[in-house]
Amino acid sequence: FALADAHDGRLLTDDGDARAFAKDQGLTVVGSVGILLAAIDAGKIDEATADEWLSMWIDDIGYYVPYRTISEYR
């Protein structure tokens, strides 16, 4: 947390306790879906690729998110 704070950065985590603590400390918190959205917005990947990755995370490793496609987050 100190490193992100010292460099005006962001904490990337999906751990609920870590997110809550970081927010309490005033840090910007970005999760996995936020990273996918940022990558799309930066032109690094397209939405279809992000959807493939999100589906893989959900189906293969049991990642929980309320939506299955990136377009549902927009």
Side-chain angles (χ1 to χ4, degrees):
F1 297 118
L3 182 62
D5 188 38
H7 296 281
D8 195 28
R10 295 181 178 162
L11 173 68
L12 299 127
T13 182
D14 286 318
D15 179 81
D17 291 339
R19 291 173 73 96
F21 179 78
K23 286 179 184 178
D24 288 346
Q25 301 303 308
L27 294 175
T28 300
V29 178
V30 179
S32 299
V33 172
I35 296 299
L36 292 176
L37 290 167
I40 293 167
D41 292 346
K44 301 294 182 183
I45 61 173
D46 59 22
E47 195 167 301
T49 299
D51 282 342
E52 288 175 22
W53 289 355
L54 186 57
S55 289
M56 181 179 54
W57 296 345
I58 293 167
D59 297 337
D60 295 348
I61 63 172
Y63 181 72
Y64 172 77
V65 287
Y67 306 112
R68 289 196 64 95
T69 65
I70 292 298
S71 64
E72 292 176 285
Y73 285 93
R74 295 220 183 246

